[in-house]
Amino acid sequence: TPPSDAGPESVAVFADTREGCSADVLSPLAEIAETLRGRTALLEEMRGHQSAELARLSSLLDELRGRRTRSAELASELERKAGVLASRSSAILTAARDVRPRVTDAEAEYFRELRRHEAALVRAEGGVDAAVADAARTRDGLVRLAGRGDGDVARR
């Protein structure tokens, strides 16, 4: 409607329509826009945090891959050294076996005979000690008898 044809009722309808649109359409749209701006800001902040976390995790993953590579290299080196040590140990055991003294059958028999003689000597020493003690008792008894005055026993 051109402004020259608009009358008071048209202006009133227009004002009422405008107020209705403002209250029923534009206000909710403004609220929705504000809510969207808040959510957009929140999503941007979350995206920033997630990007930082992704960068940290990527760095950590790279570090772990590097450690795994170093560990594999160390394991390989340790296996190589273990092989060298095993061959050295084998050589040492062989050399020790070669220089270990071996006792012949004759030597073994000689050592058994020595142990038998030693056991017999220990038994004989016990008998000798008993005979010496018996002789000492006999002598003491003879000395006592001689002390009583039986002169014949003392001269013998």
Side-chain angles (χ1 to χ4, degrees), residues 25-63:
V25 176
L26 293 179
S27 264
L29 283 178
E31 289 175 17
I32 290 172
E34 186 61 32
T35 303
L36 284 176
R37 277 192 291 279
R39 286 187 181 173
T40 302
L42 177 64
L43 289 174
E44 283 297 320
E45 182 181 342
M46 286 174 54
R47 187 173 133 318
H49 288 302
Q50 288 176 349
S51 294
E53 185 67 12
L54 179 63
R56 187 186 72 79
L57 290 174
S58 293
S59 171
L60 183 62
L61 183 61
D62 291 341
E63 181 183 339

Side-chain angles (χ1 to χ4, degrees), residues 133-143:
D134 190 36
R137 281 192 304 275
T138 303
R139 182 195 52 168
D140 292 343
L142 288 175
V143 168

Side-chain angles (χ1 to χ4, degrees), residues 45-95:
E45 182 181 342
M46 286 174 54
R47 187 173 133 318
H49 288 302
Q50 288 176 349
S51 294
E53 185 67 12
L54 179 63
R56 187 186 72 79
L57 290 174
S58 293
S59 171
L60 183 62
L61 183 61
D62 291 341
E63 181 183 339
L64 291 175
R65 284 182 181 146
R67 284 183 184 178
R68 184 183 66 194
T69 302
R70 284 190 298 278
S71 294
E73 290 169 355
L74 288 174
S76 174
E77 180 69 18
L78 288 175
E79 287 175 1
R80 187 188 63 75
K81 286 181 180 180
V84 170
L85 289 176
S87 65
R88 283 184 186 172
S89 297
S90 176
I92 289 170
L93 286 174
T94 302

Side-chain angles (χ1 to χ4, degrees), residues 10 16-17 22 49 82 84 103 108 117 152:
S10 297
D16 187 44
T17 304
S22 179
H49 288 302
V84 170
V103 177
H117 285 299
D152 256 349

